[in-house]
Coordinates of all heavy atoms in Angstrom, one line a residue:
M1 N 101.6 190.8 -7.0 CA 101.8 189.4 -7.4 C 101.5 188.6 -6.1 O 102.0 188.9 -5.0 CB 103.2 189.1 -7.9 CG 103.6 187.7 -7.9 SD 105.3 187.4 -8.4 CE 105.0 186.9 -10.1
R2 N 100.8 187.5 -6.3 CA 100.5 186.6 -5.2 C 100.8 185.2 -5.7 O 100.4 184.8 -6.8 CB 99.0 186.7 -4.8 CG 98.7 185.7 -3.6 CD 97.3 185.9 -3.2 NE 96.4 185.7 -4.3 CZ 95.3 186.4 -4.4 NH1 94.9 187.2 -3.5 NH2 94.5 186.2 -5.5
I3 N 101.5 184.4 -4.9 CA 101.9 183.0 -5.3 C 101.1 182.1 -4.3 O 101.1 182.3 -3.1 CB 103.4 182.8 -5.1 CG1 104.1 183.7 -6.1 CG2 103.7 181.3 -5.4 CD1 105.6 183.7 -5.8
V4 N 100.6 181.0 -4.9 CA 100.0 179.9 -4.1 C 100.7 178.7 -4.6 O 100.7 178.4 -5.8 CB 98.5 179.9 -4.2 CG1 97.9 178.7 -3.5 CG2 97.8 181.2 -3.8
V5 N 101.2 177.9 -3.6 CA 101.8 176.6 -4.0 C 100.9 175.5 -3.4 O 100.6 175.5 -2.2 CB 103.2 176.5 -3.4 CG1 103.8 175.1 -3.8 CG2 104.1 177.6 -4.0
S6 N 100.5 174.5 -4.2 CA 99.8 173.4 -3.7 C 100.9 172.5 -3.0 O 101.6 171.7 -3.7 CB 99.1 172.6 -4.8 OG 98.6 171.4 -4.3
L7 N 100.9 172.5 -1.7 CA 101.9 171.7 -1.0 C 101.6 170.3 -1.0 O 102.5 169.4 -0.8 CB 102.0 172.3 0.5 CG 102.5 173.7 0.6 CD1 102.6 174.2 2.0 CD2 103.9 173.9 -0.1
N8 N 100.4 169.9 -1.3 CA 100.0 168.5 -1.5 C 100.6 168.0 -2.8 O 100.9 166.8 -3.0 CB 98.5 168.3 -1.5 CG 97.9 168.5 -0.1 OD1 98.5 168.2 0.9 ND2 96.7 169.0 -0.1
R9 N 100.7 168.9 -3.8 CA 101.2 168.5 -5.1 C 102.7 168.6 -5.2 O 103.4 167.8 -5.9 CB 100.6 169.4 -6.1 CG 100.7 169.0 -7.5 CD 99.9 169.8 -8.4 NE 99.5 169.0 -9.5 CZ 98.7 169.4 -10.5 NH1 98.3 170.6 -10.5 NH2 98.5 168.6 -11.5
C10 N 103.3 169.5 -4.4 CA 104.8 169.7 -4.4 C 105.5 168.4 -4.0 O 105.1 167.8 -3.0 CB 105.1 170.8 -3.5 SG 106.9 171.1 -3.3
Q11 N 106.5 168.0 -4.8 CA 107.2 166.8 -4.5 C 108.7 167.1 -4.0 O 109.5 166.2 -3.8 CB 107.3 166.0 -5.7 CG 106.0 165.5 -6.2 CD 105.3 164.5 -5.2 OE1 105.9 163.5 -4.9 NE2 104.1 164.8 -4.8
G12 N 109.0 168.4 -3.8 CA 110.3 168.7 -3.2 C 111.4 168.7 -4.2 O 112.6 168.5 -3.8
Y13 N 111.2 168.8 -5.5 CA 112.2 168.8 -6.5 C 113.1 170.0 -6.4 O 114.3 170.0 -6.8 CB 111.7 168.8 -7.9 CG 111.0 167.4 -8.2 CD1 109.7 167.3 -8.3 CD2 111.8 166.3 -8.4 CE1 109.1 166.1 -8.6 CE2 111.2 165.1 -8.7 CZ 109.9 165.0 -8.8 OH 109.3 163.8 -9.1
A14 N 112.6 171.1 -5.8 CA 113.4 172.3 -5.5 C 113.9 173.1 -6.7 O 114.7 174.0 -6.5 CB 114.5 172.0 -4.5
Q15 N 113.3 173.0 -7.8 CA 113.7 173.8 -9.0 C 113.4 175.2 -8.7 O 114.1 176.1 -9.1 CB 113.0 173.3 -10.2 CG 113.3 171.9 -10.7 CD 114.8 171.8 -10.9 OE1 115.5 172.5 -11.6 NE2 115.4 170.8 -10.2
C16 N 112.3 175.5 -8.0 CA 111.9 176.9 -7.6 C 112.9 177.5 -6.7 O 113.3 178.7 -6.9 CB 110.5 176.9 -7.0 SG 110.4 175.9 -5.5
V17 N 113.5 176.7 -5.8 CA 114.5 177.2 -4.9 C 115.7 177.7 -5.6 O 116.3 178.7 -5.3 CB 114.8 176.2 -3.8 CG1 115.9 176.7 -2.9 CG2 113.6 175.9 -3.0
Y18 N 116.2 176.9 -6.6 CA 117.4 177.2 -7.3 C 117.2 178.4 -8.2 O 118.1 179.2 -8.4 CB 117.8 176.0 -8.2 CG 118.2 174.8 -7.4 CD1 117.5 173.6 -7.6 CD2 119.2 174.9 -6.5 CE1 117.9 172.5 -6.9 CE2 119.6 173.7 -5.8 CZ 118.9 172.6 -6.0 OH 119.3 171.5 -5.3
L19 N 116.0 178.6 -8.7 CA 115.7 179.8 -9.6 C 115.3 181.0 -8.9 O 115.5 182.1 -9.5 CB 114.7 179.4 -10.6 CG 115.1 178.3 -11.6 CD1 113.9 177.8 -12.4 CD2 116.2 178.8 -12.5
A20 N 114.8 180.9 -7.7 CA 114.3 182.1 -7.0 C 114.5 181.9 -5.5 O 113.6 181.8 -4.7 CB 112.9 182.4 -7.3
H21 N 115.8 181.8 -5.1 CA 116.1 181.5 -3.7 C 115.6 182.6 -2.7 O 115.5 182.3 -1.5 CB 117.5 181.1 -3.5 CG 118.5 182.3 -3.8 ND1 118.9 182.5 -5.1 CD2 119.0 183.2 -3.0 CE1 119.6 183.6 -5.1 NE2 119.7 184.1 -3.8
E22 N 115.4 183.8 -3.2 CA 114.9 184.8 -2.3 C 113.4 184.7 -2.0 O 112.8 185.3 -1.1 CB 115.2 186.2 -2.8 CG 116.7 186.4 -2.9 CD 117.1 187.7 -3.5 OE1 116.2 188.4 -4.1 OE2 118.3 188.1 -3.4
V23 N 112.7 183.9 -2.8 CA 111.2 183.7 -2.7 C 110.9 182.4 -2.1 O 110.0 182.3 -1.3 CB 110.6 183.9 -4.1 CG1 109.0 183.7 -4.0 CG2 110.9 185.3 -4.7
F24 N 111.6 181.3 -2.5 CA 111.3 180.0 -2.1 C 112.5 179.4 -1.3 O 113.7 179.6 -1.7 CB 111.1 179.1 -3.4 CG 110.0 179.6 -4.3 CD1 110.3 180.3 -5.4 CD2 108.7 179.4 -4.0 CE1 109.4 180.8 -6.2 CE2 107.7 179.9 -4.8 CZ 108.0 180.6 -5.9
R25 N 112.2 178.6 -0.3 CA 113.2 178.0 0.6 C 112.8 176.6 1.0 O 111.6 176.4 1.1 CB 113.4 178.8 1.8 CG 114.0 180.2 1.6 CD 113.8 181.1 2.8 NE 112.5 181.4 3.2 CZ 111.7 182.3 2.5 NH1 112.1 182.8 1.4 NH2 110.5 182.6 2.9
L26 N 113.7 175.7 1.1 CA 113.4 174.4 1.7 C 113.9 174.4 3.1 O 115.0 174.8 3.5 CB 114.2 173.3 0.9 CG 113.6 172.9 -0.4 CD1 114.5 171.7 -1.0 CD2 112.2 172.4 -0.3
N27 N 113.0 174.0 4.0 CA 113.3 173.7 5.4 C 113.4 172.2 5.5 O 112.5 171.5 5.3 CB 112.2 174.2 6.3 CG 112.2 175.7 6.4 OD1 113.2 176.4 6.2 ND2 111.0 176.3 6.6
G28 N 114.6 171.8 5.9 CA 114.9 170.3 5.9 C 115.1 169.9 4.4 O 115.6 170.6 3.6
Q29 N 114.7 168.7 4.1 CA 114.9 168.1 2.8 C 113.7 168.4 1.8 O 113.9 168.4 0.6 CB 115.2 166.6 2.9 CG 116.4 166.3 3.7 CD 117.4 165.6 3.0 OE1 117.2 165.1 1.9 NE2 118.6 165.6 3.5
E30 N 112.5 168.5 2.4 CA 111.4 168.6 1.5 C 110.3 169.6 1.8 O 109.3 169.7 1.1 CB 110.7 167.2 1.3 CG 111.6 166.2 0.7 CD 110.9 164.8 0.6 OE1 109.7 164.7 0.9 OE2 111.6 163.9 0.2
A31 N 110.4 170.3 2.9 CA 109.4 171.2 3.4 C 109.6 172.6 2.7 O 110.5 173.4 3.1 CB 109.3 171.4 4.9
L32 N 108.8 173.0 1.8 CA 108.9 174.2 1.0 C 108.2 175.3 1.8 O 107.1 175.2 2.3 CB 108.2 174.1 -0.3 CG 108.3 175.4 -1.2 CD1 109.7 175.6 -1.7 CD2 107.4 175.2 -2.4
T33 N 108.9 176.4 2.0 CA 108.3 177.7 2.5 C 108.5 178.7 1.4 O 109.5 178.6 0.6 CB 108.9 178.1 3.8 OG1 110.3 178.4 3.6 CG2 108.7 177.1 4.9
Y34 N 107.7 179.7 1.4 CA 107.8 180.7 0.3 C 107.2 182.1 0.7 O 106.4 182.1 1.7 CB 107.2 180.2 -1.0 CG 105.7 180.0 -0.9 CD1 104.8 180.9 -1.4 CD2 105.2 178.8 -0.4 CE1 103.5 180.6 -1.3 CE2 103.9 178.5 -0.4 CZ 103.0 179.4 -0.8 OH 101.7 179.2 -0.8
E35 N 107.6 183.1 0.1 CA 107.0 184.4 0.2 C 105.8 184.5 -0.7 O 106.0 184.5 -1.9 CB 108.0 185.5 -0.1 CG 107.5 186.9 -0.2 CD 106.9 187.4 1.1 OE1 107.5 187.2 2.2 OE2 105.8 187.9 1.0
P36 N 104.6 184.6 -0.2 CA 103.4 184.5 -1.0 C 103.2 185.8 -1.8 O 102.5 185.8 -2.8 CB 102.2 184.3 -0.1 CG 102.7 184.7 1.2 CD 104.2 184.5 1.2
N37 N 103.8 186.9 -1.4 CA 103.6 188.2 -2.1 C 105.0 188.9 -2.3 O 105.3 189.9 -1.7 CB 102.8 189.2 -1.2 CG 101.4 188.6 -1.0 OD1 100.7 188.3 -2.0 ND2 101.0 188.5 0.2
P38 N 105.8 188.3 -3.2 CA 107.1 188.9 -3.5 C 106.9 190.3 -4.2 O 105.9 190.5 -4.9 CB 107.8 187.9 -4.4 CG 106.6 187.2 -5.1 CD 105.5 187.2 -4.1
D39 N 107.9 191.1 -4.0 CA 107.9 192.4 -4.6 C 108.1 192.3 -6.1 O 108.5 191.2 -6.7 CB 108.9 193.4 -4.0 CG 110.3 192.9 -4.0 OD1 110.7 192.1 -5.0 OD2 111.1 193.3 -3.1
D40 N 107.9 193.4 -6.8 CA 108.1 193.4 -8.3 C 109.5 193.1 -8.8 O 109.6 192.5 -9.9 CB 107.6 194.8 -8.9 CG 106.1 195.0 -8.8 OD1 105.4 193.9 -8.7 OD2 105.7 196.1 -8.8
E41 N 110.5 193.3 -8.0 CA 111.9 193.0 -8.4 C 112.1 191.5 -8.5 O 112.9 191.0 -9.3 CB 112.9 193.5 -7.3 CG 113.0 195.0 -7.3 CD 114.0 195.4 -6.2 OE1 114.8 194.6 -5.8 OE2 113.9 196.6 -5.8
R42 N 111.3 190.7 -7.8 CA 111.4 189.2 -7.8 C 110.3 188.6 -8.7 O 110.3 187.4 -8.7 CB 111.4 188.7 -6.4 CG 112.6 189.1 -5.6 CD 112.5 188.7 -4.2 NE 113.7 189.2 -3.5 CZ 113.9 190.4 -3.0 NH1 112.9 191.3 -3.2 NH2 115.0 190.8 -2.4
R43 N 109.5 189.4 -9.4 CA 108.4 188.8 -10.2 C 108.9 187.9 -11.3 O 108.4 186.7 -11.4 CB 107.6 189.9 -10.8 CG 106.5 189.4 -11.7 CD 105.8 190.5 -12.4 NE 104.9 191.1 -11.4 CZ 103.7 191.7 -11.7 NH1 103.4 191.8 -12.9 NH2 103.0 192.1 -10.7
L44 N 109.9 188.3 -12.0 CA 110.4 187.4 -13.1 C 111.0 186.2 -12.6 O 110.7 185.1 -13.1 CB 111.4 188.2 -14.0 CG 111.9 187.5 -15.2 CD1 110.7 187.1 -16.1 CD2 112.9 188.3 -16.0
Q45 N 111.8 186.2 -11.5 CA 112.3 185.0 -10.9 C 111.2 184.1 -10.5 O 111.3 182.9 -10.7 CB 113.2 185.4 -9.7 CG 114.5 186.1 -10.0 CD 115.2 186.4 -8.7 OE1 114.6 186.5 -7.6 NE2 116.5 186.6 -8.8
A46 N 110.2 184.6 -9.8 CA 109.1 183.8 -9.3 C 108.4 183.1 -10.5 O 108.0 181.9 -10.4 CB 108.2 184.6 -8.5
E47 N 108.1 183.9 -11.6 CA 107.4 183.3 -12.7 C 108.3 182.2 -13.4 O 107.7 181.2 -13.8 CB 107.1 184.4 -13.7 CG 106.0 185.3 -13.2 CD 105.7 186.5 -14.2 OE1 106.5 186.8 -15.0 OE2 104.6 187.1 -14.0
R48 N 109.5 182.4 -13.5 CA 110.4 181.4 -14.1 C 110.5 180.1 -13.2 O 110.5 179.0 -13.7 CB 111.8 181.9 -14.3 CG 111.9 182.9 -15.5 CD 113.3 183.4 -15.7 NE 113.3 184.3 -16.8 CZ 114.3 185.1 -17.1 NH1 115.4 185.1 -16.3 NH2 114.3 185.8 -18.2
A49 N 110.5 180.4 -11.9 CA 110.6 179.2 -11.0 C 109.3 178.4 -11.0 O 109.3 177.2 -11.0 CB 110.8 179.8 -9.5
A50 N 108.2 179.1 -11.1 CA 106.9 178.4 -11.2 C 106.8 177.6 -12.5 O 106.3 176.5 -12.5 CB 105.7 179.4 -11.1
A51 N 107.3 178.2 -13.6 CA 107.3 177.5 -14.9 C 108.2 176.3 -14.9 O 107.9 175.3 -15.6 CB 107.7 178.4 -16.0
A52 N 109.2 176.3 -14.1 CA 110.2 175.2 -14.0 C 109.7 174.0 -13.1 O 110.3 172.9 -13.1 CB 111.5 175.6 -13.5
C53 N 108.6 174.2 -12.4 CA 108.1 173.1 -11.5 C 107.7 171.9 -12.3 O 106.8 172.0 -13.1 CB 107.0 173.7 -10.6 SG 106.3 172.4 -9.5
P54 N 108.3 170.8 -12.1 CA 107.9 169.6 -12.9 C 106.5 169.1 -12.6 O 105.9 168.4 -13.4 CB 108.9 168.5 -12.5 CG 109.7 169.1 -11.3 CD 109.4 170.5 -11.2
V55 N 105.9 169.4 -11.4 CA 104.6 169.0 -11.1 C 103.5 170.1 -11.2 O 102.4 169.9 -10.9 CB 104.5 168.2 -9.8 CG1 105.3 167.0 -9.8 CG2 104.9 169.2 -8.6
Q56 N 104.0 171.3 -11.7 CA 103.1 172.4 -11.8 C 102.2 172.7 -10.6 O 101.0 172.8 -10.7 CB 102.2 172.2 -13.1 CG 103.0 172.1 -14.4 CD 103.8 173.4 -14.6 OE1 103.2 174.4 -14.8 NE2 105.1 173.3 -14.7
A57 N 102.9 172.8 -9.5 CA 102.2 173.0 -8.2 C 101.9 174.5 -7.9 O 101.5 174.8 -6.8 CB 103.1 172.5 -7.1
F58 N 102.1 175.4 -8.8 CA 102.0 176.8 -8.6 C 100.8 177.5 -9.3 O 100.5 177.1 -10.4 CB 103.3 177.6 -9.1 CG 104.5 177.3 -8.4 CD1 105.2 176.1 -8.7 CD2 105.0 178.1 -7.4 CE1 106.4 175.8 -8.0 CE2 106.1 177.8 -6.7 CZ 106.8 176.7 -7.0
V59 N 100.3 178.5 -8.6 CA 99.4 179.5 -9.2 C 100.0 180.8 -8.9 O 100.3 181.1 -7.8 CB 98.0 179.4 -8.6 CG1 97.1 180.5 -9.1 CG2 97.3 178.1 -9.0
I60 N 100.2 181.6 -9.9 CA 100.6 183.0 -9.7 C 99.6 183.9 -10.2 O 99.1 183.9 -11.4 CB 101.9 183.3 -10.5 CG1 103.1 182.4 -10.0 CG2 102.3 184.7 -10.5 CD1 104.4 182.6 -10.6
D61 N 99.1 184.7 -9.3 CA 98.1 185.7 -9.6 C 98.8 187.1 -9.6 O 99.4 187.5 -8.6 CB 97.0 185.7 -8.5 CG 95.9 186.6 -8.8 OD1 95.9 187.4 -9.7 OD2 94.9 186.6 -8.0
R62 N 98.7 187.7 -10.7 CA 99.5 189.0 -10.9 C 98.7 190.1 -10.3 O 99.1 191.3 -10.4 CB 99.7 189.2 -12.4 CG 100.7 188.1 -12.9 CD 100.9 188.2 -14.4 NE 101.4 189.5 -14.7 CZ 101.6 189.9 -16.0 NH1 101.2 189.2 -17.0 NH2 102.0 191.1 -16.2
L63 N 97.6 189.9 -9.6 CA 96.8 190.9 -8.9 C 96.2 191.9 -9.9 O 95.7 192.9 -9.4 CB 97.5 191.5 -7.8 CG 98.0 190.6 -6.7 CD1 98.8 191.4 -5.6 CD2 96.9 189.8 -6.1
D64 N 96.3 191.6 -11.2 CA 95.6 192.5 -12.1 C 94.5 191.6 -12.8 O 94.0 192.0 -13.9 CB 96.5 193.1 -13.1 CG 97.3 192.1 -13.9 OD1 97.1 190.9 -13.8 OD2 98.2 192.5 -14.7
G65 N 94.1 190.5 -12.2 CA 93.1 189.6 -12.8 C 93.6 188.5 -13.7 O 92.8 187.7 -14.2
V66 N 94.9 188.4 -13.9 CA 95.5 187.4 -14.7 C 96.2 186.4 -13.9 O 97.0 186.7 -13.1 CB 96.5 188.1 -15.7 CG1 97.1 187.0 -16.6 CG2 95.9 189.1 -16.6
E67 N 95.8 185.1 -14.1 CA 96.5 184.0 -13.4 C 97.4 183.2 -14.4 O 97.1 183.1 -15.5 CB 95.4 183.0 -12.8 CG 94.7 183.6 -11.6 CD 93.9 182.6 -10.9 OE1 94.0 181.4 -11.3 OE2 93.1 182.9 -10.1
R68 N 98.4 182.7 -13.8 CA 99.3 181.8 -14.5 C 99.5 180.5 -13.7 O 99.6 180.5 -12.5 CB 100.7 182.5 -14.7 CG 100.6 183.7 -15.5 CD 102.0 184.3 -15.8 NE 101.9 185.5 -16.4 CZ 102.0 185.7 -17.7 NH1 102.2 184.7 -18.5 NH2 101.9 186.9 -18.2
G69 N 99.7 179.4 -14.4 CA 99.9 178.1 -13.8 C 98.6 177.5 -13.3 O 97.5 178.1 -13.4
E70 N 98.7 176.3 -12.7 CA 97.5 175.6 -12.2 C 97.9 174.8 -11.0 O 99.0 174.2 -11.0 CB 97.0 174.7 -13.2 CG 96.3 175.3 -14.4 CD 95.7 174.3 -15.3 OE1 95.1 173.3 -14.8 OE2 95.7 174.6 -16.5
A71 N 97.1 174.9 -10.0 CA 97.3 174.0 -8.8 C 95.9 173.4 -8.5 O 94.9 174.1 -8.5 CB 97.8 174.8 -7.6
S72 N 95.9 172.2 -8.2 CA 94.6 171.5 -7.8 C 94.7 170.9 -6.5 O 95.7 170.5 -6.0 CB 94.2 170.5 -8.8 OG 94.7 170.7 -10.1

């Protein structure tokens, strides 16, 4: 699994942090950092966190050729 977050699109709502705090973190009030290649144990958390993003700033590539989400 590979995660890409459009940091230009991210508005710092932090829904991803609440749903997958082992994958996503806020540094300060709005600077998002994240693990771009979480292990399979965190896959479901990461997918739910990406789905909860109000601005849809995520792309999740499952590395089997299937992408989820959109980031521009």
Side-chain angles (χ1 to χ4, degrees):
M1 162 182 260
R2 180 178 54 214
I3 299 171
V4 178
V5 179
S6 172
L7 297 177
N8 290 326
R9 196 170 209 181
C10 176
Q11 298 295 306
Y13 290 108
Q15 296 304 307
C16 58
V17 176
Y18 295 120
L19 294 170
H21 63 274
E22 294 175 351
V23 179
F24 306 99
R25 295 166 294 288
L26 280 181
N27 287 334
Q29 300 242 345
E30 296 180 5
L32 180 70
T33 60
Y34 62 99
E35 169 59 47
N37 297 305
D39 59 27
D40 287 338
E41 291 180 20
R42 292 175 182 82
R43 176 181 284 208
L44 184 58
Q45 288 179 338
E47 288 176 343
R48 287 180 177 167
C53 180
V55 296
Q56 298 299 298
F58 293 82
V59 171
I60 294 182
D61 184 353
R62 296 176 56 189
L63 299 180
D64 60 2
V66 178
E67 286 190 11
R68 297 186 186 262
E70 292 186 32
S72 328

